[in-house]
Amino acid sequence: VDVFQAWCGPCKTVVDLFRKLRNEAGSDLLHFAVAEVDSIDALEKYRGKCEPVFLFYAGGELVAVVRGVNAPLLQKTILEQL
């Protein structure tokens, strides 16, 4: 989940990376979503920060967090979680 605030928008620079990984992994294993923290109370702790935050869930549980746009780390985290 790409967690963002309305004033800075979702991170568009990693969409291609996620699309590539999803095509490689298969659409049944990897799902990508965006969430605006200003409208979701459960994400309140991520408000007030301009860096993107990527939350990784498996089985409904938070399993990893990556802060900032670090393509190699995002890719590594995704592949490890799959």
Side-chain angles (χ1 to χ4, degrees):
V1 179
D2 177 2
V3 177
F4 70 96
Q5 286 195 255
W7 54 268
C8 65
C11 186
K12 293 178 171 67
T13 60
V14 297
V15 171
D16 288 337
L17 171 65
F18 284 118
R19 188 174 291 128
K20 175 183 171 248
L21 292 172
R22 183 173 180 195
N23 287 339
E24 291 172 1
S27 61
D28 291 340
L29 296 176
L30 182 62
H31 301 279
F32 177 68
V34 294
E36 182 185 344
V37 299
D38 298 319
S39 60
I40 302 171
D41 290 338
L43 298 175
E44 182 177 8
K45 68 181 178 180
Y46 299 105
R47 293 178 188 159
K49 300 182 173 46
C50 65
E51 72 177 350
V53 176
F54 300 91
L55 306 177
F56 296 87
Y57 288 87
E61 298 291 323
L62 182 64
V63 294
V65 176
V66 173
R67 294 182 182 275
V69 180
N70 180 335
L73 180 58
L74 284 168
Q75 184 170 354
K76 178 181 179 222
T77 303
I78 289 169
L79 294 175
E80 285 175 351
Q81 295 306 318
L82 287 175

